[in-house]
Amino acid sequence: MGTRETVLVLGANGQIGTELVTALRAKYGNENIVASDIREAAQSDGPFEILDIMNAAAATEVIKKYNVTQIYHLAAILSATGEKNPRLAWQVNMDGLLNILEASAELGVKKVFWPSSIAVFGKNSPKRLTPQYTITDPDTIYGISKLAGERWCQYYYRTRGLDVRSIRYPGLISYASKPGGGTTDYAVEIFHEALKQGKYTSFIKESQLLPMMYMPDAIRATIDLMEADADKLRIRSSYNIHSLSFSPAMIAAAIQMHLPDFTIDYAVDFRQKIAESWPASLEDSYARVDWGWKPLYDLAATVKDMLENVGKKI
Ligand code: NAD
Ligand code: AKB
């Protein structure tokens, strides 16, 4: 990143934002990273603005105030919460994105990162090694908004020259901040309950494989993509990336290697149907070739690190 860059992180108090702000501040200096959210600041080690992405004028003011040159737009409503209030999810995920893309193009922001999700795929997509380009047909309003968002990113790149970059994140596993209303949240909750209660009731069925990733890999992927040479990036909608693929039974077995008395049982709810519509694993060769993506954490390393760090927190 150049010396005069200022980065704005939208939705900075969430599961990803909390760790992304820490990583960006460590790398580029606290004062160069402006965190923002609709809620009060989660971190106090750098500039922060309360900002609702639905308010385009307020977003424009913040971009101008700090002479923002890069934006990471993370504010969204995730899959499970979105199914409870589809219109709100559509408005926040779609109008919010359009506000940020338009303000960025108008004000000459140099680069924008916006995450998509494995939720762009649906029950007609191939389940194993889901290709970059294939049937999508998402079932959830969250997935529909992510797929439309990908096309808007590509559209702003093509018509306005906006340097937009995006990753289809899988379910993310982390300890610094709780997940925010997704279907893959079980893979974080299980660690907290294993350490607190010695047991966990999963809302996803025993054998359901889903693509997942440990947060350090996701943060590294995000910053690497933002630092990649623009002319190497063949995809301006969103890149598949892949790391782990496991089921509740498989992660429970990995936890039992450390906590032999841990038990899991199952009471599936509406989130099981969402999980069933998503891939089990993704084919990610475009990301590997274009910007050198490679995961570092396998399931055993993820589980070991999560148990150590969740243990310290509770
Ligand atoms: P999160 O729910 O933990 O955080 C989202 C943040 O956005 C929250 O702090 C919330 O207060 C804020 N927010 C909500 N509405 C807002 C508004 N109108 N204006 C400003 N801020 C608002 O979500 P996350 O897990 O950190 O996800 C960040 C992004 O990554 C989202 O786009 C999400 O779809 C995507 N993603 C996440 C995962 C995952 O597993 N965490 C996987 C795939 C994609
Ligand atoms: C969710 O479950 O909604 C998110 C995602 C995979 O996009 N974690």
Side-chain angles (χ1 to χ4, degrees), residues 145-159:
S145 71
K146 288 295 185 190
L147 186 58
E150 289 188 5
R151 302 320 306 160
W152 273 111
C153 288
Q154 163 71 29
Y155 186 82
Y156 267 81
Y157 172 71
R158 182 171 66 79
T159 62

Side-chain angles (χ1 to χ4, degrees), residues 111-256:
K111 285 185 210 172
V112 177
F113 176 83
W114 170 82
S116 183
S117 162
I118 54 165
V120 296
F121 299 110
K123 57 180 178 298
N124 297 321
S125 313
K127 291 283 169 226
R128 305 261 169 171
L129 293 176
T130 307
Q132 176 71 40
Y133 296 108
T134 186
I135 295 169
T136 43
D137 291 1
D139 284 327
T140 59
I141 195 65
Y142 174 69
I144 296 169
S145 71
K146 288 295 185 190
L147 186 58
E150 289 188 5
R151 302 320 306 160
W152 273 111
C153 288
Q154 163 71 29
Y155 186 82
Y156 267 81
Y157 172 71
R158 182 171 66 79
T159 62
R160 308 283 290 277
L162 187 63
D163 187 348
V164 194
R165 302 169 182 216
S166 177
I167 286 172
R168 289 170 174 158
Y169 289 133
L172 300 180
I173 301 170
S174 68
Y175 56 84
S177 159
K178 291 258 172 87
T183 303
T184 58
D185 293 11
Y186 94 83
V188 178
E189 288 173 5
I190 194 169
F191 290 98
H192 291 264
E193 295 308 306
L195 286 161
K196 278 195 275 191
Q197 316 284 352
K199 60 182 183 174
Y200 179 63
T201 301
S202 173
F203 56 81
I204 298 296
K205 79 174 185 198
E206 190 172 3
S207 58
Q208 182 67 54
L209 292 169
L210 281 169
M212 300 275 185
M213 185 176 291
Y214 197 32
M215 190 62 87
D217 273 337
I219 298 294
R220 190 172 44 79
T222 304
I223 296 175
D224 283 356
L225 174 60
M226 282 295 265
E227 291 188 339
D229 287 345
D231 55 10
K232 297 226 167 75
L233 303 180
R234 286 175 288 173
I235 294 176
R236 295 308 186 134
S237 50
S238 193
Y239 278 95
N240 277 8
I241 61 170
H242 187 66
S243 171
L244 311 171
S245 176
F246 60 77
S247 64
M250 288 160 73
I251 193 171
I255 291 173
Q256 280 159 350

Side-chain angles (χ1 to χ4, degrees), residues 25-146:
R25 284 186 174 157
K27 193 158 189 187
Y28 303 121
N30 292 12
E31 66 288 354
N32 296 319
I33 312 298
V34 182
S36 76
D37 203 284
I38 200 167
R39 299 180 282 146
E40 288 295 332
Q43 282 143 302
S44 56
D45 55 352
F48 180 86
E49 295 280 337
I50 292 273
L51 178 59
D52 181 350
I53 53 159
M54 303 304 287
N55 185 340
T60 297
E61 279 316 301
V62 171
I63 295 169
K64 283 185 180 162
K65 176 176 168 186
Y66 291 93
N67 292 317
V68 168
T69 56
Q70 296 188 23
I71 293 179
Y72 291 76
H73 170 29
L74 307 177
I77 292 187
L78 276 71
S79 59
T81 309
E83 291 307 283
K84 292 181 186 152
N85 195 341
R87 285 192 73 101
L88 179 70
W90 179 257
Q91 283 157 2
V92 172
N93 295 359
M94 207 74 299
D95 295 347
L97 173 62
L98 289 179
N99 286 344
I100 301 310
L101 290 175
E102 185 57 30
S104 299
E106 278 300 304
L107 299 172
V109 173
K110 287 195 235 161
K111 285 185 210 172
V112 177
F113 176 83
W114 170 82
S116 183
S117 162
I118 54 165
V120 296
F121 299 110
K123 57 180 178 298
N124 297 321
S125 313
K127 291 283 169 226
R128 305 261 169 171
L129 293 176
T130 307
Q132 176 71 40
Y133 296 108
T134 186
I135 295 169
T136 43
D137 291 1
D139 284 327
T140 59
I141 195 65
Y142 174 69
I144 296 169
S145 71
K146 288 295 185 190

